[in-house]
Amino acid sequence: MSRKNHKKRRFSFFKLALVALILILAAGALLAYFPVLLFSPPAVAAEEGPEAEGGIGDISSLLRGETVNIALLGFDGAVSPDKEQNIYRPDTILIAAVNFRSGQVSLVSIPRDSYVKIHGTDIYDKINHSFMYGHYRAGEGENRYESGIETTLRTVVDFLGGIPLHGYVVVDLKGAESIIDSIGGIYYDVEVEVRDDFGRGRLLVEEGYQRLDGKKFMDYVRNRAGFQGGERGRTERQQDIMIALLDQFKEPANIPRIPGLYRAVKDNTDTELSFSQVLALGLLGLRVNPDQIETAVFSGSGQLSYRDGQNIWYLVIDEQERVNIIERIFGAQVAQRSQLTLPGPVTPEPEEPEPEPEPEPTPDPEPEIDEEEEKDEPDPDQPEENGEKEPEEEEKEPGDPEDPEEEEDEETDQDPGADSDQNEQPAPEGSNN
């Protein structure tokens, strides 16, 4: 090999390494300045094209610094190992809209009783029932849990008018407790005391500033006693304590707890977010001012509708407010739909009782016979007491034998010397002889 060729190959190698290094640095700089690119394409988008105008779904819109939307679903129970066979309800549906360019973070909540159209069906129902529809719709060989999650997320996208979701995090009750305990609890000024039995029973969390462990944290965020604001009051308290939690995550004292926090999050949440996506969101969280986090809750009117034999309460979302919140939080204009109105409760008519069957006629009871009367009444089968007998057979003329053969025998056997009186037949009464 000539020295000239050797130098040429060495130059080509360094040139290739330099190009690779430039590309890596460029990619790093691009992700550092445009971390939103990590979330393209969105995880869940409208199937038939977004209804929203100006929604994000391509690289150009991402480069303009549009928001990334992460859905947080809080299940109403502990997700068991056989989660594919169980049906869960996402009682907490919270969307975090993150703008990497401005550093703005917004939290918008969809109440669990919101009356919405379930994705993939023509059925309107509570939004937290969407998991159930996806669970039952899964075909043979499909994972029922994943089908339930997908139906829930797509129902949320439909409700938002086509605004896409770039990721999701699912956490259950026990998982949330473990995450809070992994950082030693959270200090928070509890606004309202919490009691079980819908606010009438045993005290669970007292009012005032205190440290909440995982159990008390969940008791507080799940409380929705009617006199404490009901579902809307609970939703607003969830948003407030989430902001306080984010603020405490940033404290230097929690830096040594990061490994434990990471394990708790990893073991107790379900998400498709990659490590780089989580890292990008974490770095953004370090520079977010909690006081500038914007919050919103979709609201409407509570209405009753008769369904499956009973009157069920729904939250019918105000359409004008829905459009305004989407524009304010996500920066997109969506079409306003017709305002829904439910028919109202139904009082079922009482069912007329079936006529009772007529009783079968019972035979008249035999009259009781008095023993004394029975003695006085003559028995027709017995002779009368006056001695007269009822003849059993017809009277015969005197001298007529009953049997001619017997007569002959008597005549034959009669002793000629016997007394004739012994052989005479008695004369009947009234005879002249």
Side-chain angles (χ1 to χ4, degrees), residues 256-276:
R257 298 191 177 104
I258 290 179
L261 174 62
Y262 173 76
R263 286 193 299 269
V265 172
K266 182 175 180 295
D267 296 339
N268 295 282
T269 61
D270 175 32
T271 181
E272 288 188 342
L273 293 174
S274 65
F275 176 78
S276 58

Side-chain angles (χ1 to χ4, degrees), residues 60-74:
S60 60
S61 62
L62 289 171
L63 290 175
R64 290 197 301 269
E66 303 292 347
T67 57
V68 168
N69 310 309
I70 309 297
L72 175 62
L73 306 178

